[in-house]
């Protein structure tokens, strides 16, 4: 890992623990065991560090979408021949991949925690929180349901039921005392998604 990458990752970890506004360049340098001058060789300011983190996250998010996204596969012709049961199976697989990404990928997990802390501190952070973790993915899931022929109201309702519980499991995972408990929560989330296929609210 290069010095620049170490600065990004260490900064993000501190932002996730303490919030962006509470962390100074001096604290980042101290955590890394380097001088502020060494940081300024790579980044002009703390804001420049944050902007670089955001660009890196956008790239990672695009890679995840390419690897696990469903909408590109649901062309009009494909949607017409896709059964709701088969679609739900794919959505479950997609949701499990996203849960693993936002909890087990260190960079994505710290980014999520930072936005959770900072969403009430500025309109910019709130907008990013909505984009990555709230209204953005909720609309994505609703669009998936609409792609297989559901009307907007039904698609929105199913998206809320399907996506909403992820926040509970994120919180439980973050609060787990050890890796064994984290895996239990991950398995519980998987069971929850499987059970949803038979729930009346998803029919």
């Amino acid at each position: 890992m290069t010095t620049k990458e170490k600065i990004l990752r260490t900064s993000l970890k501190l932002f996730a623990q303490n919030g962006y506004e509470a962390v100074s360049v001096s604290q980042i340098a101290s955590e890394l065991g380097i001088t502020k001058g060494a940081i300024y060789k790579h980044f002009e300011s703390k804001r420049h560090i944050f902007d670089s983190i955001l660009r890196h996250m956008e790239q990672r998010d695009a890679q995840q979408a390419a690897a696990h996204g469903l909408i590109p596969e649901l062309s009009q012709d494909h949607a017409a021949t896709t059964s709701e049961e088969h679609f739900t199976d794919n959505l479950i697989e997609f949701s499990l991949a996203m849960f693993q990404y936002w909890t087990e990928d260190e960079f994505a997990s710290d980014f999520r925690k930072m936005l959770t802390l900072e969403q009430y501190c500025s309109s910019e952070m709130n907008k990013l929180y909505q984009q990555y973790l709230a209204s953005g993915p909720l609309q994505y899931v609703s669009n998936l349901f609409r792609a297989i022929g559901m009307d907007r109201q039904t698609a929105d309702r199913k998206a809320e039921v399907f996506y909403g519980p992820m926040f509970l499991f994120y919180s439980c995972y973050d609060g787990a005392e050890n890796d064994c408990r984290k895996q239990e929560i991950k398995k519980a989330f998987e069971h929850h998604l499987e059970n949803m296929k038979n729930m009346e609210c998803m029919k």
Side-chain angles (χ1 to χ4, degrees), residues 24-181:
S24 66
V25 174
S26 294
Q27 288 173 299
I28 297 169
S30 177
E31 185 73 17
L32 286 164
I34 61 177
T35 65
K36 287 199 299 182
I39 290 180
Y40 289 134
K41 287 181 180 180
H42 299 280
F43 300 99
E44 297 174 2
S45 63
K46 187 177 76 168
R47 177 68 205 200
H48 189 199
I49 293 173
F50 176 80
D51 289 341
S52 296
I53 289 172
L54 187 56
R55 285 194 296 272
H56 188 60
M57 193 64 210
E58 288 170 349
Q59 294 171 356
R60 295 166 69 89
D61 198 51
Q63 291 169 354
Q64 284 293 310
H68 301 288
L70 297 177
I71 284 182
E73 299 176 4
L74 288 174
S75 64
Q76 187 172 2
D77 291 340
H78 188 195
T81 59
T82 299
S83 69
E84 188 169 337
E85 181 178 1
H86 178 67
F87 166 76
T88 304
D89 288 339
N90 288 339
L91 183 56
I92 287 172
E93 183 179 348
F94 164 76
S95 298
L96 288 172
M98 291 301 98
F99 184 81
Q100 181 173 348
Y101 173 61
W102 286 112
T103 56
E104 297 182 11
D105 182 283
E106 185 177 1
F107 196 93
S109 178
D110 283 342
F111 186 77
R112 173 176 61 83
K113 292 172 183 176
M114 177 191 69
L115 292 185
T116 301
L117 282 176
E118 291 290 316
Q119 63 176 309
Y120 304 109
C121 298
S122 73
S123 59
E124 179 189 20
M125 290 295 190
N126 182 265
K127 183 177 180 180
L128 288 170
Y129 178 84
Q130 292 294 323
Q131 173 188 337
Y132 281 95
L133 297 166
S135 58
L138 182 63
Q139 186 60 57
Y140 181 86
V141 175
S142 177
N143 289 343
L144 289 174
F145 282 118
R146 292 182 67 193
I148 60 169
M150 293 183 187
D151 61 81
R152 180 186 294 273
Q153 184 176 2
T154 301
D156 286 348
R157 176 177 59 82
K158 289 195 175 187
E160 290 163 1
V161 172
F162 199 93
Y163 182 72
M166 288 190 76
F167 284 90
L168 171 64
F169 285 96
Y170 284 151
S171 296
C172 291
Y173 187 96
D174 290 342
E177 60 272 16
N178 53 53
D179 289 340
C180 182
R181 178 57 182 153

